[in-house]
């Protein structure tokens, strides 16, 4: 069936995987990727699909309410898959305001545009909000986040995502908008911006630079292959009942320090280094303020109701990720040098 879908944040890490999946798997769908191209937005993430006939890009800011209304008026979307966000916890600690603007106000602008344009005729319309497990706060040594865990965000990032989740639910409860929300654990894979732990560590190990581990490296994250996240979004988008929430996770908990040691072993092998060489780069640094101890997602609702299961073991996925970064030196050097920002003006504009 034909559908016109707005995907926001499609030039980012997860968004680019979601765009690629939808554009490639659903030739009948018309996909409009909306992204303002912040430091995290990189159209070179999508070179393999940018010429496909069912794909278009628009550079726009979700904090601009008028622009969002105009776009909805012009395009007559059937659905929105909303990923655009400020996504990095450390940046939110340094400066929370951009997180409130994009994650809260930007989300409300999109909800208002959808509501105004769809005018209560929500049959076959859908607003899918992509969110994070960080809204649930931190776990101790045991337990897992379920869909009914109470919200308890700690960082400015997670507070802004929690707020946006509440607004999405409020538009469902108050106006009847067809919404679905998913809350996912830490993603890893290709095209991940090298400010986040795994790509930062790969880049630093490759360049013989210190690998910063916050505190004692005791914090635990639950890692999921980004393409498994994109597949979960696909399944939830198509099959979830209106108003539903799904947790997405890999059942794959790692202490940061153990993960970094595994990564160092893989890097030693791939770079033909003496075993143990890369681990010498590990550098324990001042802990993140308010650092959540442990995240772990119970995704049994998604597994049981919608038959989704993660496809990759972490060791295999991490090895594939390392290989991608080593094979895509140009992508990495363009990102670390800032050259990627020119891609839109020099090679993309006018398409
Ligand atoms: P990212 O930072 O890589 O990408 C975000 C994208 O949003 C960028 O392309 C950026 O240019 C765009 N953007 C930012 N502000 C915008 C604005 N005002 N208008 C239009 N576009 C804007 O983020 P990501 O890691 O791909 O995360 C995508 C979504 O998934 C976010 O909503 C995030 O909260 C959520 N999420 C991420 C993870 C993870 O592990 N990375 C896990 C769970 C949920
Ligand atoms: O849980 C989902 C969340 O995962 C997403 O909502 C966020 O958008 C995404 O950025 C990610 O947040 P984290 O803060 O968990 O990811 P990050 O890669 O920044 O950090 C992972 C862990 O590694 C965390 O415990 C902090 C630690 N860390 C991070 C960096 C950047 C380090 O020890 N050293 C570092 O240099």
């Amino acid at each position: 069936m034909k559908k016109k879908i707005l995907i926001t944040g499609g030039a980012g890490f997860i968004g680019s995987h979601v765009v690629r999946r939808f554009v490639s798997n659903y030739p009948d769908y018309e996909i409009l990727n909306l992204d303002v191209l912040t430091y995290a937005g990189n159209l070179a993430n999508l070179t393999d699909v940018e010429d496909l006939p069912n794909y278009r890009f628009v550079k726009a800011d979700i904090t601009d309410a008028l622009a969002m209304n105009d776009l909805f008026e012009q395009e007559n979307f059937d659905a929105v898959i909303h990923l655009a966000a400020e996504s990095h916890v450390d940046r939110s600690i340094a400066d929370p305001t951009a997180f409130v603007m994009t994650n809260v106000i930007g989300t409300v602008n999109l909800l208002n545009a959808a509501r105004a344009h769809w005018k209560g005729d929500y049959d076959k319309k859908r607003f899918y909000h992509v969110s994070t497990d960080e809204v649930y706060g931190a776990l101790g040594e045991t337990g897992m986040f379920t869909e009914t865990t109470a919200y308890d965000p700690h960082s400015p990032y997670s507070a802004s995502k929690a707020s946006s989740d509440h607004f999405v639910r409020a538009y469902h409860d108050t106006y009847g908008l067809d919404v679905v929300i998913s809350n996912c654990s830490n993603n890893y894979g290709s095209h991940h911006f090298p400010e986040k732990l795994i790509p930062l560590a790969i880049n630093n190990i490759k360049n013989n630079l210190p690998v910063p581990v916050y505190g004692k490296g005791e914090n635990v994250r639950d890692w999921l292959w980004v393409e498994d996240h994109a597949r979960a979004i696909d399944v939830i988008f198509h099959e979830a009942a209106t108003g539903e929430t799904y947790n997405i996770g890999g059942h794959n908990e790692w202490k940061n320090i153990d993960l970094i040691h595994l990564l160092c072993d893989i890097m030693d092998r791939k770079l033909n280094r003496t075993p143990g060489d890369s681990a010498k780069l590990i550098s324990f640094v001042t802990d993140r303020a308010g650092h959540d101890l442990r995240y772990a997602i119970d995704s049994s609702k998604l597994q049981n109701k919608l038959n989704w299961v993660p496809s990759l073991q972490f060791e295999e996925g991490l090895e594939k990720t390392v290989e991608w970064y080593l094979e895509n030196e140009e992508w990495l050097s363009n990102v670390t040098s800032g050259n990627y920002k020119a891609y839109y003006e020099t090679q993309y504009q006018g398409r």
Side-chain angles (χ1 to χ4, degrees), residues 208-223:
N208 274 307
L209 295 168
V211 177
V213 173
Y214 297 164
K216 294 180 179 159
E218 296 288 314
N219 302 68
V220 174
R221 296 292 181 266
D222 174 358
W223 294 93

Side-chain angles (χ1 to χ4, degrees), residues 254 258-267 314-315 318:
W254 284 79
D258 296 338
L259 183 162
I260 291 297
H261 275 291
L262 174 64
L263 189 59
C264 287
D265 292 347
I266 297 173
M267 293 294 283
F314 187 57
E315 287 80 352
L318 198 58

Side-chain angles (χ1 to χ4, degrees), residues 79-151:
V80 178
I81 303 178
H82 174 40
L83 295 107
E86 289 293 339
S87 68
H88 192 40
V89 173
D90 294 326
R91 285 179 190 257
S92 83
I93 293 167
D95 181 10
T97 307
F99 288 73
V100 179
M101 292 308 295
T102 290
N103 299 359
V104 185
I105 307 290
T107 301
V108 171
N109 286 341
L110 289 169
L111 289 165
N112 282 338
R115 182 181 162 230
H117 188 67
W118 292 339
K119 295 187 181 74
D121 175 19
Y122 299 140
D123 191 30
K124 299 198 178 69
K125 308 285 189 201
R126 172 145 281 189
F127 191 103
Y128 185 144
H129 179 60
V130 175
S131 193
T132 172
D133 60 357
E134 298 200 10
V135 299
Y136 299 124
L139 293 163
E141 298 296 326
T142 58
M144 292 180 126
F145 299 134
T146 71
E147 287 81 0
T148 55
T149 300
Y151 275 34

